[in-house]
């Protein structure tokens, strides 16, 4: 059998790095295209590095001249203008184009649960989600016109060991360690799906080159449902801290921290119960393996391994002091 070839646009991010590792593991010939400036997630030795700026269309055309791939997976396109450029420069070199969308694009608040691939795409609070929706519409038109064989993947909250999933990042974990209170939106009981990047990758890679993936969109999320209170508890336990939670309404949090508006009203304040049965029809036998309690231990261990990773943001720390006072 001829080895299948994959071009990953990105390849060193939280999700894309795991997908690169999994594709290599199952036998794909993988090339990664990025600016070559990120070292936090080094590429496997088997991976070819193509250095180019994805935002420079001429540089992309030059870098890919004479090349062809069975699939291209694009983790770095966020707006319709960026997508148009990628479609011109990259898609002519690939039989399948996989666009990384987002579950943030789904209707907020959801009219019905669970959220499936047929749930309407509508999110008035998140510019990021609105741009991803516009990208999907453009890609659908290009696919229907026969100019690209497209697949869309919609991840929800996918993380690796570098990512603390609470607003405020590592600063929140340090507050737990010193016994300071932390804040959660609502009463902390809304459900949320935390998906480890390695689990995501094992469902993602089977979509590459799959005929039944052409023209389709797929949810990839863990089936483990956690409340935000439980997510905070997992992190506190992993860090050996003590958990003191103060609950505030989303309205109050957004008033105090407008920069959290898109994250809260556009995503986290709504229940995240997803139907991932569709991807299981292609990734036969796939089930998530990493519960968040284990993922939280990985997060804390990675940060504890290097003091430079344990950055406390004084502005975030002060914000939490204000939000939890009284």
């Amino acid at each position: 059998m001829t080895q299948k070839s994959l071009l990953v646009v990105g390849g060193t991010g939280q999700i894309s790095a795991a997908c690169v590792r999994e594709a290599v593991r199952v036998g794909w010939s993988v090339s990664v295209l990025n600016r070559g400036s990120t070292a936090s997630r080094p590429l496997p030795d088997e991976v070819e590095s193509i250095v180019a700026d994805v935002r420079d269309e001429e540089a992309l055309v030059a870098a890919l001249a004479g090349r062809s791939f069975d699939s291209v997976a694009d983790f770095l396109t966020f707006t319709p203008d960026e997508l148009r450029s990628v479609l011109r420069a990259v898609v002519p070199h690939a039989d399948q184009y996989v666009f990384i969308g987002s579950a943030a694009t789904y209707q907020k608040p959801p009219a019905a649960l669970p959220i499936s691939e047929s749930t309407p795409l509508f999110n008035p609070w998140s510019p990021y989600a609105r741009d991803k929706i516009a990208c999907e519409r453009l890609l659908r038109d290009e696919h229907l016109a026969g100019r690209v064989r497209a697949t869309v993947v919609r991840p929800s909250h996918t993380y690796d060991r570098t990512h603390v999933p609470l607003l405020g990042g590592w600063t929140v974990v340090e507050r737990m360690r010193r016994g300071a209170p932390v804040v959660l939106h609502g009463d902390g009981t809304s459900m949320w799906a935390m998906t480890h990047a390695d689990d995501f990758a094992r469902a993602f890679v089977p979509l590459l080159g799959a005929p039944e993936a052409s023209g389709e969109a797929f949810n990839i999320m863990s089936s483990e449902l956690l409340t935000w209170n439980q997510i905070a508890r997992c992190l506190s336990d992993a860090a050996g801290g003590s958990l003191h939670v103060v609950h505030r309404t989303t309205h109050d949090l957004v008033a105090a921290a407008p920069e959290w508006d898109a994250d809260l009203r556009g995503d986290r304040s709504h229940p995240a119960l997803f139907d991932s049965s569709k991807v299981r029809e292609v990734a036969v036998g796939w089930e998530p393996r990493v519960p968040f309690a284990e993922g939280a231990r990985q997060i804390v261990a990675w940060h504890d391994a290097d003091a430079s990773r344990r950055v406390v943001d004084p502005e975030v720390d002060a914000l939490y002091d204000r939000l939890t006072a009284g």
Side-chain angles (χ1 to χ4, degrees):
M1 295 179 60
T2 303
Q3 188 178 31
K4 294 286 188 178
S5 58
L6 168 66
L7 175 66
V8 176
V9 180
T12 57
Q14 291 180 59
I15 304 178
S16 61
C19 293
V20 167
R21 294 193 299 269
E22 178 65 11
V24 169
R25 187 188 71 81
V26 300
W28 281 76
S29 173
V30 180
S31 301
V32 164
L33 187 151
N34 58 38
R35 291 180 298 174
S37 59
T38 301
S40 59
R41 301 177 187 88
L43 297 173
D45 292 340
E46 302 93 331
V47 173
E48 176 195 24
S49 176
I50 302 173
V51 178
D53 185 348
V54 71
R55 304 290 176 250
D56 184 338
E57 188 174 331
E58 290 185 4
L60 286 180
V61 170
L64 297 176
R67 307 291 297 271
S68 63
F69 304 91
D70 292 294
S71 298
V72 56
D74 183 359
F75 292 84
L76 292 183
T77 291
F78 303 98
T79 71
D81 285 344
E82 292 170 0
L83 179 58
R84 291 185 185 95
S85 176
V86 167
L87 292 178
R88 289 190 296 264
V90 177
V91 166
H93 300 273
D95 294 332
Q96 176 199 31
Y97 174 73
V98 183
F99 176 74
I100 310 304
S102 171
T105 59
Y106 285 123
Q107 183 183 47
K108 301 292 187 303
L113 296 172
I115 298 167
S116 73
E117 290 83 356
S118 61
T119 297
L121 305 183
F122 176 70
N123 188 332
W125 290 284
S126 170
Y128 164 82
R130 293 198 298 272
D131 280 339
K132 285 286 190 177
I133 291 169
C135 284
E136 284 206 33
R137 290 173 177 162
L138 171 60
L139 193 58
R140 176 199 60 200
D141 292 343
E142 292 296 300
H143 178 88
L144 291 175
R147 289 187 284 268
V148 59
R149 292 179 61 235
T151 299
V152 174
V153 175
R154 298 179 187 139
S156 184
H157 200 153
T158 306
Y159 70 97
D160 70 358
R161 61 185 183 167
T162 70
H163 173 69
V164 177
L166 298 179
L167 293 174
W170 184 255
T171 301
V172 183
V173 179
E174 290 288 355
R175 290 181 66 86
M176 293 173 177
R177 280 185 161 168
R178 66 176 190 257
V182 300
V183 66
L184 294 176
H185 59 277
D187 62 3
T189 62
S190 62
M191 305 305 293
W192 197 249
M194 296 294 306
T195 308
H196 195 284
D198 289 345
D199 285 334
F200 176 93
R202 290 188 301 100
F204 176 84
V205 170
L207 298 174
L208 302 175
E212 58 268 46
S214 182
E216 299 292 333
F218 296 89
N219 287 340
I220 302 180
M221 296 90 177
S222 173
S223 54
E224 179 188 30
L225 288 177
L226 299 162
T227 67
W228 282 104
N229 288 332
Q230 289 172 319
I231 292 169
R233 171 61 65 187
C234 287
L235 287 164
S236 175
D237 289 349
S242 56
L243 183 62
H244 303 285
V245 174
V246 174
H247 294 105
R248 293 282 185 262
T249 67
T250 294
H251 178 273
D252 288 346
L253 291 178
V254 169
E259 64 273 21
W260 289 356
D261 188 19
D263 269 326
L264 286 172
R265 291 200 295 165
D267 209 7
R268 296 174 184 236
S269 292
H270 307 285
L273 175 61
F274 295 99
D275 179 356
S276 296
S277 58
K278 185 176 178 180
V279 76
R280 287 177 168 84
E281 297 175 3
V282 183
V284 177
W286 174 76
E287 290 293 339
R289 297 173 181 170
V290 185
F292 184 66
E294 168 58 28
R297 289 190 288 270
Q298 293 180 13
I299 291 168
V300 171
W302 184 83
H303 284 82
D304 279 347
D306 186 339
S308 68
R309 299 167 182 166
R310 299 192 299 276
V311 177
V312 174
D313 185 327
E315 293 186 2
V316 171
D317 207 21
L319 173 61
Y320 269 80
D321 284 338
R322 294 194 299 273
L323 289 171
T324 58

